[in-house]
Amino acid sequence: MADLVVARPEGLFCPPGGFYIDPWRPVERAVITHAHGDHARAGHGHYLASRASTPVMHARLPGASLATLEYGETLRHGDVTLSLHPAGHVLGSAQLRIEHRGAVWVASGDYFVAGERDDPREANRTCTPFEPVACHCFITESTFGLPIYRWAPQDDVFADINAWWRDNADEGRASVVYAYALGKAQRILAALDPATGPIVVHGAVDTVTRAYRAAGVALPATTLVTEVADPALLRRCMVIAPPSAQRSPWLRRFGELRDAFASGWMQVRGARRRRAVDRGFVLSDHADWPGLLRAIAATGASRVIVTHGFEGAMVRWLGEHGYEAGAFATEYGDLDDDAPPAS
Ligand SMILES: [Zn+2]
Ligand SMILES: [Zn+2]
C-alpha cells in the first residue's frame, strides 16, 4: 500500500488527495492544521482549515481563499476522505485524518495533551481538547520529544504567575509576561486573577484575543495601555506582550517593571538567563514527553512518522518499543510560540 503522505520540497503532500499539509512553499491546495505562522503561510491558492480556526485564520491571512470543515465533518477530495479533529494546541487547531481504500493516516499538526496525569483539568481550557483518532500511521509532532520535558500541573504554574504579579504590584511595579500572541497569551489571560490589577495587552495580543472572545472563549477584561487613564494603575498592571516587544520603546510607559517569559523551553537550564528576563514560567502549548507517548499509543498506530523537533530521540524510542518509526524533515518551528530560544 502506497504512503498517504510523503515529503516534498514544498511540504508534506498527500498523493491520492492532491493537497499539501501546512506547506512551507506556495502550493495550489493546502490543508492547514492551525494558524501559527510556520504552519499557516501566505501564498497558497486554496486553504482548508477547521471552522473553529476561521477568525484566527482571517486575522493571519486576510483575503485568503478559505474553506472550512467542522471537527469530524468528512470531505471527499481527490481519491481520499478527509476530516479534521481537535488538537488542543490553539483555537481551531486540528489533526488531519486521511482515509484511502481502507488505510487511515493522521497528521497531528501541533498538539497539546495532558501528560503523566491523564486528567481533564490538564487540558488547554481555551480551545477544544485533543481527541485521539485511530489510525494505521500517525504523523506526530515532537517539539518536546525528550524525556526531560515533563510539565507541572498547569494550575501550579498559573498560581506562580498570579503570586509573582501580586508581589510586583505590592512593590509598585508592572509585570510583563512575554508570550506568543496566538494561544499562549490567551491561556495565561484565562488564568489571571483580575483582582490584582488591570490587565494590559499589546496590540498584537489584542487582535487575537478578540478572535478568541468572538469564538466564545471566556477571558477576563483587558485594556490597551493607551486606555489606562490613571498612571498609578500602570504600576500594578499585568502586561501580556509578544516576545518581539522585549526591549521595545512600547514598554517604557510602564516605568520600572519585572518581566518573565512563558514557554516550555524555560525548563532548560540557562534559558531564562539567555532570554534576559527576571522569571521563566514553564508553560507550553505542546505535549510533553509522557503526553507525546500517550497520544501516540492512543491512536493504535503501528507506524509513526516524527516531525518538528527531537526526531532522533523519539524515532529511537519508538523503534525500541515495537513501532515502525521514521521521520520527515520539516520547516516548522522557527515561527512557533515554542521555537527554541535564540542563543
Ligand atoms: Zn503551533
Ligand atoms: Zn509548529
Side-chain angles (χ1 to χ4, degrees):
M1 172 96 43
D3 288 354
L4 299 192
V5 178
V6 297
R8 283 194 176 176
E10 296 87 353
L12 303 184
F13 181 67
C14 173
F19 58 83
Y20 286 83
I21 306 161
D22 295 348
W24 42 85
R25 291 193 199 159
V27 302
E28 187 51 28
R29 293 191 177 278
V31 179
I32 303 297
T33 61
H34 66 292
H36 274 151
D38 52 337
H39 294 259
R41 297 190 194 238
H44 307 312
H46 300 276
Y47 293 78
L48 178 70
S50 77
R51 190 145 309 153
S53 75
T54 307
V56 284
M57 285 291 289
H58 280 314
R60 176 168 295 284
L61 302 165
S65 159
L66 174 68
T68 60
L69 284 179
E70 292 287 354
Y71 288 132
E73 186 185 351
T74 57
L75 175 73
R76 190 77 193 156
H77 188 86
D79 211 10
V80 304
T81 300
L82 58 89
S83 54
L84 298 170
H85 303 267
H89 174 61
V90 297
L91 183 65
S93 63
Q95 308 172 72
L96 170 63
R97 180 185 186 275
I98 305 168
E99 182 170 352
H100 174 69
R101 294 180 189 159
V104 177
W105 284 40
V106 170
S108 74
D110 292 350
Y111 62 93
F112 177 78
V113 62
E116 227 131 31
R117 291 160 298 277
D118 184 9
D119 183 340
R121 281 175 307 178
E122 293 305 323
N124 185 341
R125 295 159 190 167
T126 55
C127 64
T128 310
F130 178 93
E131 285 173 17
V133 181
C135 56
H136 302 104
C137 179
F138 187 48
I139 302 171
T140 183
E141 70 129 316
S142 185
T143 303
F144 290 100
L146 284 178
I148 57 162
Y149 294 110
R150 287 161 199 270
W151 311 145
Q154 61 178 344
D155 283 333
D156 293 1
V157 180
F158 295 143
D160 285 349
I161 294 174
N162 278 310
W164 175 77
W165 179 19
R166 267 193 308 277
D167 288 348
N168 295 336
D170 290 347
E171 293 173 10
R173 290 192 177 97
S175 305
V176 181
V177 175
Y178 303 113
Y180 196 75
L182 168 57
K184 188 69 61 63
Q186 291 74 33
R187 253 183 100 199
I188 296 169
L189 283 173
L192 290 176
D193 175 9
T196 305
I199 302 170
V200 175
V201 289
H202 185 277
V205 173
D206 186 54
T207 305
V208 185
T209 301
R210 285 169 190 274
Y212 269 64
R213 288 203 181 97
V217 179
L219 297 170
T222 56
T223 175
L224 296 172
V225 65
T226 48
E227 297 166 347
V228 181
D230 179 1
L233 280 176
L234 289 181
R235 310 244 166 255
R236 54 180 310 115
C237 70
M238 166 63 86
V239 183
I240 306 291
S244 57
Q246 194 178 8
R247 286 185 282 273
S248 75
W250 182 81
L251 283 176
R252 284 195 201 127
R253 60 195 95 198
F254 298 102
E256 213 187 325
L257 54 81
R258 293 270 187 247
D259 61 1
F261 204 89
S263 165
W265 299 108
M266 287 296 126
Q267 187 166 320
V268 182
R269 189 185 296 274
R272 183 194 61 77
R273 193 165 25 81
R274 280 197 293 280
R275 283 285 188 182
V277 289
D278 300 313
R279 275 293 292 268
F281 295 110
V282 183
L283 185 70
S284 179
D285 295 337
H286 294 265
D288 61 4
W289 172 260
L292 289 167
L293 298 187
R294 272 201 323 111
I296 291 167
T299 66
S302 55
R303 183 173 172 197
V304 179
I305 302 174
V306 181
T307 69
H308 201 300
F310 296 100
E311 291 99 345
M314 181 58 88
V315 168
R316 198 172 329 113
W317 189 95
L318 292 168
E320 287 165 4
H321 290 78
Y323 291 89
E324 182 190 342
F328 282 144
T330 56
E331 297 184 16
Y332 308 134
D334 50 331
L335 301 172
D336 207 338
D337 62 326
D338 273 324
S343 50

